[in-house]
């Protein structure tokens, strides 16, 4: 509904008088001050621009609530409204001047062009308020600037800006890109007979009765009751107002006057069933002049944004602030070229920002979200690919020769034939090593797929070309495991190899340091000890890092700095979902060993309840009787290592004394010394102990082909990827192996997760499912900062958009890696990339 042009002087005079009388909600001849402005802003002026209509309607809502506001809030509303009306008056004057040819001069503003202070003085003969003049000057622009501070916006001011700062919102840009965490769809309008409990809807109906009263049970609670009727039925709805300021008879009567019998009301909310029939829970209400009128409310009949909040920052405050900032969205310049947007069917940025906050309908919301999700993925991929491109401009001193005699000898002594997948990955690596740029390749392979053999081929290629190699593992157990395997091969090739860990004796450590510096030692295996200052290589050409995600960025960089741009090969036995790999390893070349060596049998996996424990013990006895061995694994309790230690010790004691007194039962946990761990592992490896009770220390590095049963206690406390890793400790020999997942949880979600292990042996599929259940950070074993912090995007739900964003980023880098021809894109990348990665980049 629209009206003729407002009488600016009359409106400003009314505001000035209310200010003069101390914001008491003055009673005029026909209306109270608040009712007058509620009616004024309830109808749009004929020439009001469409982008101002939300603000106009917002003021109507605020003035309808004016009687409930405290003195300071009333004062702020009156000042903001006066500034806003002055802004509109100025725009109208400027538009009139332009129509007359632009020569209006000062007279173009007309007699109504006075500032707020002069209007106030006309009413109360006081000196102009310089603060009001400054605010009015700020308000003259059509829209605030992106970098404008929120405290400088008339609609927000200092007090509200301080509250918004609790959400890290300081500028207009912060507000525009503060996306809703959800939306409530009130856009569906239905008749009363169509209402169904659980749905969120809007109805338009006539008021048949209205009652406003104080609750008999709670004297501080006011209840508004409306009986609404349309052509199909009737419904009773209620709103509740808590607080003594709502209990005055005058306020209750004023509320009743808003909803007179016969008036048309739009109401929206969640349909809820009660013993009295259906109703709307905490409904939003708007009075319409006629049944067919357009609903102008910011909530009723719309898709309403729901923002993440914090204590002291309410939903209304954030929505009002967003509305104040939204006019700026129309002036956003889109960094993505129109051709790229057209190719991938992307909404323009300014439209996406406007519609992610206040979409016209659900379809528009989805298009807006898709564009903004694309942006989050695109700039991350662009940054990763740009970094990869820059890395490939660096020259390495280690350009290795093609395959030689050392590799031929190694293939001869191998007791097995390489799989096609291993050979494919080896070819990738050897091709990289012959290039003048440093290799930066990640090899993913399931448990037991043969990654170590692939790494040895790369190491031997480096040694044959006159370079040294370093092999770093995250734990002593795993480093020692690799060392033993490498020694068995290197002895046959007459090559020395040493192990350096925190447990290495001082004399041996000094010997290793000396041999490294002279070049006598071609390969050093170790833990973090490799990156210490005394470790200096003569000619480091290759760095191999196993389970690389367990090392920090700086730790990996320090090892690389031991040589002159050495080649880097990283490995992981934790299969990473494709979307997660692209996100955290997007700057690496990735190879997958997706094939197990022949002869490996499927590990029979079963989920058991505590009542089925006797059957598990029977299986363990049968396997031990045939000369096999058994693992019993207990969960690591992060909150208390002592609790973890006690549980492992108690379980060990129970199995040793009560359940399996005829067998030797060993114990392994993280708080043992290195010597104690070695002793426990060696006894199990030599079959001196038949059962090894362990915490997750056994997850990597313990390779005992004779072990055929793994019993995992409280399996629901592990992630699927970790369970798959643990399961990989058995099934390494020719005999049939078993994994028993013992769970006391009755949760359907927990049972569903564990059933995935029963159904699949595919580590990549399991990791995908793990990410769906637990999120990307947990899949890697820790909640680490290497996973980017997306605002809208989901690695689970938005895989298709991620792939398109990667494709688009590759094309852009191919055309112009420096982004010189796309200045806006370059600036946006600079702003977003560091922000998205939180300053910590995993690879």
């Amino acid at each position: 509904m629209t009206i003729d042009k407002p009488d600016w002087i009359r409106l400003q005079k009314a505001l000035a008088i209310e200010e003069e009388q101390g914001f008491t909600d003055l009673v005029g001849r026909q209306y109270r001050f608040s009712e007058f402005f509620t009616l004024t802003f309830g109808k749009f002026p004929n020439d009001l621009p469409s982008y101002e209509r939300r603000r106009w309607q917002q003021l109507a809502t605020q003035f309808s609530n004016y009687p409930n506001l405290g003195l300071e809030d009333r004062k702020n509303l009156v000042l903001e409204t006066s500034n806003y009306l002055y802004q509109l008056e100025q725009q109208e004057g400027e538009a009139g001047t332009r129509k007359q040819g632009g020569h209006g001069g000062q007279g173009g503003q007309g007699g109504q062009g006075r500032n707020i202070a002069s209007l106030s003085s006309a009413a109360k003969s006081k000196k102009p308020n310089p603060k009001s003049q400054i605010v009015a000057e700020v308000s003259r622009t059509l829209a605030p600037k992106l970098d404008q501070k929120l405290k400088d916006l008339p609609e927000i001011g200092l007090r509200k800006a301080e509250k918004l700062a609790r959400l890290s919102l300081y500028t207009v840009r912060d507000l525009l890109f503060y996306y809703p965490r959800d939306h409530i769809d009130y856009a569906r309008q239905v008749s009363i007979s169509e209402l169904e409990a659980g749905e969120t809807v809007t109805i338009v109906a006539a008021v048949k009765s209205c009652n406003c009263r104080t609750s008999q049970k709670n004297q501080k609670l006011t209840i508004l009751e409306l009986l609404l009727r349309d052509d199909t039925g009737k419904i009773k709805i209620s709103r509740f107002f808590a607080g003594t300021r709502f209990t005055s008879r005058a306020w209750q009567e004023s509320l009743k006057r808003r909803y007179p019998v016969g008036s048309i009301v739009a109401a929206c909310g969640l349909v809820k069933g009660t013993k009295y029939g259906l109703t709307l829970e905490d409904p939003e209400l708007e009075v319409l002049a006629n049944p067919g009128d357009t609903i102008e409310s910011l909530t009723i009949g719309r898709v309403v944004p729901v923002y993440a909040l914090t204590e002291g920052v309410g939903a209304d405050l954030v929505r009002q602030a967003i509305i104040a900032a939204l006019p700026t969205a129309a002036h956003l310049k889109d960094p993505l070229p129109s051709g790229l947007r057209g190719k991938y069917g992307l909404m323009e940025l300014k439209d996406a920002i406007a519609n992610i906050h206040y979409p016209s309908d659900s379809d528009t919301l989805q298009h807006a979200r898709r564009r903004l999700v694309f942006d989050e993925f695109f700039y991350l991929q662009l940054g990763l690919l740009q970094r990869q491109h820059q890395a490939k401009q660096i020259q390495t001193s280690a350009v290795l020769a093609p395959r030689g005699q050392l590799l031929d000898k190694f293939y001869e002594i191998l007791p097995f034939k390489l799989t096609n997948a291993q050979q494919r990955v080896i070819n990738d690596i050897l091709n990289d090593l012959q290039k003048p740029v440093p290799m930066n390749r990640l090899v993913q392979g399931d448990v037991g797929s043969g990654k170590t053999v692939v790494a040895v081929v790369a190491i031997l290629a480096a040694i044959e070309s006159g370079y040294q190699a370093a092999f770093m593992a995250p734990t002593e157990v795993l480093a020692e495991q690799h060392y033993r395997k490498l020694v068995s091969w290197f002895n046959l090739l007459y090559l020395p190899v040493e192990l350096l860990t925190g447990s290495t004796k001082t004399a041996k450590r000094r010997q290793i340091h000396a041999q490294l510096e002279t070049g006598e030692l071609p390969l050093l295996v170790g833990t973090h000890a490799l990156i210490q200052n005394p470790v200096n290589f003569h000619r480091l050409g290759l760095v191999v890092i196993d389970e690389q995600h367990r090392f920090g960025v700086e730790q990996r960089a320090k090892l690389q700095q031991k040589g002159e741009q050495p080649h880097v090969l990283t490995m992981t036995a934790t299969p990473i979902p494709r979307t997660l790999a692209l996100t955290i390893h997007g700057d690496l070349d990735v190879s997958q060993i997706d094939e197990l060596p022949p002869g490996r049998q499927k590990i029979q996996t079963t989920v058991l309840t505590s009542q089925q424990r006797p059957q598990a013990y029977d299986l363990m006895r049968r396997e031990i009787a045939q000369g096999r061995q058994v693992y019993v694994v207990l969960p690591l309790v992060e909150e208390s290592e002592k609790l973890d230690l006690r549980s492992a010790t108690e379980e060990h004691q129970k199995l040793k004394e009560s359940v399996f007194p005829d067998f030797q039962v060993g114990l392994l946990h993280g708080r043992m010394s290195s010597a104690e761990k070695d002793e426990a592992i060696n006894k199990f490896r030599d079959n001196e102990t038949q059962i090894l009770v362990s915490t997750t220390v056994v997850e990597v590095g313990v390779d005992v082909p004779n072990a055929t049963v793994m019993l995992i206690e409280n399996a629901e406390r592990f992630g699927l990827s970790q369970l798959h890793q643990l399961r990989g400790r058995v099934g390494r020999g020719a005999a049939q192996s078993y994994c028993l997942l013992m769970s006391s949880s009755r949760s359907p979600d927990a049972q569903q997760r564990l059933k995935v292990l029963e159904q699949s042996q595919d580590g990549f599929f399991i990791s995908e499912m793990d990410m769906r259940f637990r999120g990307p950070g947990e899949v890697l074993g820790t909640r680490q900062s290497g996973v980017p912090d997306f605002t809208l995007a989901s690695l689970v739900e938005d895989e298709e958009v991620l792939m398109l964003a990667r494709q688009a980023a590759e094309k852009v880098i191919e055309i112009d890696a420096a982004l010189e021809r796309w200045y806006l894109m370059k600036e946006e990348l600079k702003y977003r990339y560091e922000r998205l990665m939180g300053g910590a980049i995993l690879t």
Side-chain angles (χ1 to χ4, degrees):
M1 177 126 184
T2 60
I3 58 171
D4 294 333
K5 185 171 69 175
D7 184 341
W8 302 113
I9 293 180
R10 184 185 179 206
L11 296 177
Q12 291 285 15
K13 190 174 289 187
L15 291 164
I17 293 172
E18 173 70 5
E19 181 181 357
E20 185 179 56
Q21 296 299 317
F23 310 99
T24 56
D25 199 10
L26 281 169
V27 180
R29 293 178 185 173
Q30 289 182 289
Y31 305 104
R32 279 186 173 274
F33 167 78
S34 57
E35 292 171 339
F36 170 69
F37 273 94
T38 300
L39 292 169
T40 296
F41 289 113
K43 301 172 183 177
F44 300 131
N46 289 322
D47 55 354
L48 186 71
S50 58
Y51 58 80
E52 294 288 0
R53 293 194 169 201
R54 282 181 179 167
R55 177 68 175 129
W56 196 266
Q57 179 62 43
Q58 180 194 4
L59 285 170
T61 304
Q62 287 176 299
F63 275 105
S64 70
N65 193 42
Y66 189 84
N68 310 326
L69 300 179
L71 178 62
E72 192 63 28
D73 286 333
R74 289 185 180 190
K75 184 177 178 180
N76 287 333
L77 179 57
V78 169
L79 177 62
E80 289 171 10
T81 304
S82 184
N83 292 337
Y84 176 65
L85 293 177
Y86 173 75
Q87 174 189 347
L88 289 182
E89 183 187 4
Q90 293 297 313
Q91 293 174 24
E92 183 181 292
E94 291 167 8
T97 300
R98 286 193 295 271
K99 287 181 181 177
Q100 295 170 22
H103 300 292
Q106 291 181 351
Q109 294 179 12
Q112 299 175 7
R114 291 174 286 174
N115 62 30
I116 296 169
S118 65
L119 284 170
S120 297
S121 64
K124 47 188 177 171
S125 301
K126 289 187 178 181
K127 289 183 179 180
N129 182 342
K131 184 178 179 183
S132 294
Q133 286 182 311
I134 293 169
V135 175
E137 287 299 317
V138 172
S139 300
R140 288 187 181 191
T141 53
L142 286 174
K145 306 295 184 191
L146 270 176
D147 58 355
Q148 190 167 345
K149 301 292 185 189
L150 298 183
K151 65 183 178 64
D152 296 331
L153 294 185
E155 300 91 340
I156 296 177
L158 180 59
R159 195 168 61 85
K160 292 180 181 177
E162 287 174 349
K163 289 185 177 182
L164 292 168
R166 298 177 197 172
L167 295 172
S168 299
L169 301 174
Y170 305 100
T171 66
V172 170
R173 181 184 178 117
D174 292 339
L175 277 175
L176 291 180
F177 289 85
Y178 191 66
Y179 303 140
R181 63 174 176 80
D182 200 358
H183 290 79
I184 302 173
D185 189 357
Y186 291 136
R188 181 166 171 256
Q189 186 173 322
V190 300
S191 59
I192 292 175
S193 65
E194 295 175 311
L195 294 177
E196 290 186 20
E199 293 186 344
T200 302
V201 298
T202 294
I203 60 172
V204 176
V207 177
K208 302 308 291 181
S209 69
C210 174
N211 185 30
C212 189
R213 58 183 173 83
T214 302
S215 169
Q216 293 180 350
K217 295 180 180 179
N218 183 350
Q219 292 300 307
K220 294 182 180 180
L221 183 67
T222 292
I223 305 172
L224 170 69
E225 294 176 334
L226 294 176
L227 180 63
L228 304 179
R229 182 188 291 276
D230 67 6
D231 293 338
T232 67
K234 61 183 179 180
I235 184 173
K236 186 177 181 180
I237 62 175
S238 303
R239 286 205 67 181
F240 301 91
F241 302 87
T244 53
R245 65 181 185 273
F246 301 119
T247 58
S248 74
R249 195 64 203 153
W251 186 88
Q252 292 178 356
E253 287 299 321
S254 70
L255 188 60
K256 284 174 64 176
R257 286 199 296 272
R258 290 187 206 170
Y259 309 104
V261 173
S263 62
I264 305 301
V265 170
C268 69
L270 177 67
V271 183
K272 186 178 180 182
T274 71
K275 60 183 179 180
Y276 303 109
L278 295 178
T279 188
L280 296 182
E281 187 175 37
D282 193 23
E284 297 279 349
L285 302 170
E286 179 186 351
V287 178
L288 307 178
N290 298 292
D293 279 0
T294 303
I295 301 171
E296 300 297 346
S297 165
L298 290 172
T299 53
I300 300 170
R302 294 179 179 275
V303 180
V304 180
V306 179
Y307 298 94
L309 304 173
T310 191
E311 187 176 353
V313 186
D316 286 343
L317 172 59
V318 175
R319 286 178 186 150
Q320 290 165 13
I322 295 286
I323 290 164
L326 271 182
T328 307
H331 303 283
L332 284 172
K333 294 180 180 177
D334 200 325
L336 298 187
S338 57
L340 188 150
R341 294 199 308 269
K343 180 174 181 180
Y344 295 103
L346 301 173
M347 182 182 278
E348 223 178 319
L349 180 61
K350 62 181 181 181
D351 297 327
I353 291 293
N355 284 292
I356 198 65
H357 292 291
Y358 282 98
S360 53
D361 52 54
S362 296
D363 285 344
T364 307
L365 171 63
Q366 291 308 313
H367 285 297
R369 183 186 178 279
R370 185 175 182 274
R371 163 61 202 265
L372 299 175
V373 166
F374 181 93
D375 279 8
E376 287 191 317
F377 284 143
F378 174 75
Y379 290 108
L380 172 64
Q381 295 303 316
L382 199 60
L384 289 168
L385 288 169
Q386 193 178 64
R387 193 170 65 182
Q388 183 186 55
H389 177 84
Q390 291 164 355
K392 289 184 177 179
Q393 309 310 305
I394 298 170
Q395 298 293 304
T396 179
S397 59
V399 180
L400 307 189
R403 174 174 164 176
Q405 294 181 354
L406 200 53
L407 278 181
D408 290 336
K409 288 181 182 177
F410 177 63
Y411 287 137
E412 287 174 11
I413 64 171
L414 272 181
F416 52 82
K417 184 181 178 183
L418 295 175
T419 65
N420 292 332
Q422 285 174 310
Q423 195 60 62
R424 184 181 68 246
V425 174
I426 286 170
N427 291 338
D428 289 341
I429 293 169
L430 293 180
N431 287 335
D432 287 347
L433 294 178
Q434 292 168 39
K435 294 176 182 175
V437 297
M439 173 178 71
N440 200 8
R441 184 171 291 279
L442 170 69
V443 174
Q444 288 194 86
D446 218 335
V447 177
S449 60
K451 295 179 298 300
T452 308
V453 177
V454 169
V456 169
V457 171
I459 290 167
L460 292 175
I463 293 172
E464 187 150 37
S465 296
Y467 293 97
Q468 293 167 292
F471 195 132
M472 187 165 73
T475 66
E476 289 195 13
V477 171
L478 186 54
E480 290 161 5
Q481 180 71 45
H482 284 309
Y483 173 70
R484 285 193 184 89
K485 191 171 284 187
L486 288 163
V487 165
S488 66
W489 287 326
F490 273 52
N491 282 346
L492 297 174
L493 297 170
Y494 305 105
L495 290 172
V497 54
E498 292 288 359
L499 175 68
L500 182 65
T501 69
S503 304
T504 305
K505 303 295 183 187
T506 304
K508 182 65 174 177
R509 188 181 295 266
R510 287 176 182 158
Q511 179 189 342
I512 291 172
H513 291 165
Q515 291 178 341
L516 274 183
E517 289 190 23
T518 60
E520 297 172 61
L521 183 60
L523 173 62
L524 180 61
V525 181
T527 57
H528 303 77
L530 298 188
I531 64 177
Q532 302 304 316
N533 288 331
V535 178
N536 294 305
F537 289 82
H538 174 67
R539 201 181 181 206
L540 181 63
L542 175 68
V543 169
V544 180
I545 303 174
D546 195 21
E547 293 300 325
Q548 61 90 31
H549 62 271
R550 295 179 179 229
F551 292 99
V553 177
E554 291 181 6
Q555 291 170 325
R556 296 194 298 271
K558 278 185 180 179
L559 184 55
Q560 289 171 245
Q561 289 161 9
K562 299 286 183 181
E564 295 181 18
Q565 301 297 337
H567 298 284
V568 180
L569 178 66
T570 56
M571 304 192 301
T572 178
T574 306
I576 302 173
R578 183 170 58 159
T579 54
L580 186 55
L582 265 184
T583 304
I584 60 177
H585 302 312
D587 58 333
L588 301 182
D589 296 311
V590 180
S591 296
Q592 289 187 0
I593 305 179
D594 50 8
E595 180 183 359
L596 289 176
R600 286 284 177 93
Q601 290 194 48
K602 181 179 177 181
I603 301 168
Q604 189 173 317
T605 305
T606 310
V607 179
L608 300 175
T609 64
S610 53
Q611 287 78 22
Q612 295 171 297
R613 186 176 297 278
Q615 291 97 302
Y617 288 162
D618 286 346
L619 174 64
M620 292 161 66
R621 285 191 184 91
R622 288 199 303 271
E623 288 297 302
I624 295 171
Q626 295 178 45
R628 314 292 183 202
Q629 290 165 277
V630 173
Y631 294 103
V632 176
V633 179
L634 288 92
L636 174 68
V637 182
E638 292 178 358
E639 289 77 15
S640 168
E641 277 194 277
K642 291 181 180 178
L643 177 60
D644 170 46
L645 173 62
R646 187 172 68 250
S647 63
T649 306
E650 287 176 356
E651 183 69 13
H652 169 254
Q653 201 70 22
K654 185 184 84 170
L655 293 177
K656 181 179 178 181
E657 295 176 0
S658 305
V659 185
F660 298 110
D662 300 335
F663 304 130
Q664 295 299 313
V665 183
L667 177 64
L668 177 67
H669 57 73
R671 299 188 68 188
M672 286 177 160
S673 67
S674 294
E676 289 171 330
K677 287 179 191 172
D678 286 344
E679 183 182 3
I681 292 170
N682 288 334
K683 280 187 174 181
F684 190 64
R685 186 180 288 115
D686 298 338
N687 207 357
E688 292 179 32
T689 56
Q690 288 79 51
I691 300 172
L692 182 62
V693 178
S694 174
T695 60
T696 51
V697 173
V698 79
E699 181 181 346
V700 289
V702 181
D703 186 8
V704 180
N706 192 48
T708 57
V709 179
M710 169 153 297
L711 171 64
I712 303 176
E713 297 283 358
N714 299 112
E716 73 280 357
R717 292 168 69 177
F718 295 87
L720 294 184
S721 292
Q722 192 175 26
L723 287 171
H724 182 61
Q725 285 276 356
L726 289 166
R727 176 169 63 178
R729 294 304 102 202
V730 297
R732 305 178 80 83
Q736 174 66 56
S737 292
Y738 306 88
C739 179
L740 308 176
L741 304 174
M742 191 69 68
S743 172
S744 57
S745 173
R746 296 182 180 180
S747 161
D749 288 344
Q751 292 299 314
Q752 184 183 5
R753 285 177 56 246
L754 295 178
K755 290 293 181 184
V756 172
L757 271 296
E758 275 190 341
Q759 296 160 6
S760 178
Q761 308 271 321
D762 182 345
F764 290 97
F765 169 76
I766 290 167
S767 68
E768 290 277 358
M769 295 303 295
D770 203 12
M771 187 170 74
R772 289 182 181 275
F773 284 120
R774 297 193 302 154
E778 292 285 1
V779 171
L780 298 175
T782 56
R783 288 192 181 101
Q784 50 186 304
S785 59
V787 181
D789 184 15
F790 297 116
T791 306
L792 284 177
S794 162
L795 293 178
V796 176
E797 305 297 335
D798 298 313
E799 180 177 357
E800 179 250 346
V801 182
L802 171 58
M803 296 306 165
L804 292 178
R806 174 75 175 191
Q807 184 186 104
E810 287 173 343
K811 191 67 177 175
V812 166
I813 293 296
E814 182 184 321
I815 296 171
D816 180 8
L819 306 181
E820 297 298 339
R821 67 176 67 188
W822 296 298
Y823 173 76
L824 288 176
M825 190 188 296
K826 185 176 183 178
E827 288 300 303
E828 189 70 12
L829 171 63
K830 184 179 177 182
Y831 175 82
R832 282 183 180 247
Y833 189 59
E834 289 298 323
R835 192 179 176 97
L836 184 64
M837 296 306 293
I841 299 179
L842 190 65
T843 53

